Amino acid sequence: MNMYENLEAFNALGYALLERLTPITSGEVSVMQQQWPAAPGDYFAFMQERGHGEIKEDDSELPLVTILPTLCPAAADYFGDDGIYKDGPYEPGARGEMWLFGWDSAGIAFGFDSGDNWRLLEIDNMRWITRLDLSFCQFVEGLLVCYPQRPVSFANGVWRDSGDVSYNAPT
C-alpha cells in the first residue's frame, strides 16, 4: 500500500484537487534523496506517488498550493535575500538552509529548515517564519481536511488552521 493512495478520502473534492499533480520517477526521487539525505521520507514518497503541480479545484481558481518538482533554496532562488534568517515578531528566523517544496497563490512559501531537523515551515512575504506542528504527510492530508484553509498543526486526530479552527479526521 502506498502512503498517499487514500488522500481522496479526506475531501469530497479530493480527486479534483489532486488531478493536476504529476509523479516523478523513482530515479528522480533517488537523485533527490542523495542530494538531501536527511529530508523527510514522507516528502519523497509523496513526490513519487503524487508528484508536483497545482492543488486546486478547477481551472478558473488560483491554486491552494503549488508543489515544485524538486526542492528550491529559499534564500537564493525564491526570496533573493537572507531575510528568512532574521528573527520575526513571533518566532526566530531559520536555523539552517531553507528548502522550499511549494507556495500558495499569495506567495506564502512552504518548506523545510535543514538546520532544525527538517522542520516544516511556512514563510510569509515579510520573510517571517511560522513553524508548523505537522509532518509533511499531515500537511498534505490537512490541506484536504481544512480546505480551503491551510493546516498549521495536528494532534490527537484533529487538525487546526491559522484561525485556530479545528477539523476532525474523516472516519
Side-chain angles (χ1 to χ4, degrees), residues 21-118:
L21 296 178
T22 304
I24 64 173
T25 67
S26 58
E28 290 169 313
V29 169
S30 293
V31 169
M32 290 170 62
Q33 287 173 316
Q34 288 172 9
Q35 187 168 357
W36 301 287
D42 54 354
Y43 165 74
F44 295 121
F46 181 84
M47 294 305 290
Q48 188 167 342
E49 292 175 34
R50 295 299 182 134
H52 62 93
E54 296 180 336
I55 297 177
K56 68 179 194 171
E57 198 171 331
D58 64 38
D59 290 333
S60 66
E61 295 188 26
L62 295 172
L64 179 63
V65 174
T66 299
I67 305 288
L68 302 170
T70 189
L71 294 173
C72 165
D77 290 359
Y78 187 71
F79 292 112
D81 60 40
D82 63 357
I84 58 173
Y85 298 102
K86 296 181 176 88
D87 291 348
Y90 310 109
E91 296 197 40
R95 296 184 178 140
E97 186 154 7
M98 285 287 311
W99 293 98
L100 302 183
F101 61 80
W103 45 72
D104 71 6
S105 56
I108 293 176
F110 304 96
F112 304 107
D113 186 343
S114 65
D116 190 11
N117 202 27
W118 288 81

Side-chain angles (χ1 to χ4, degrees), residues 79 81 83-84 86-89 107-108 123-129:
F79 292 112
D81 60 40
I84 58 173
K86 296 181 176 88
D87 291 348
I108 293 176
I123 311 163
D124 70 14
N125 293 323
M126 300 295 294
R127 319 292 194 269
W128 295 343
I129 287 174

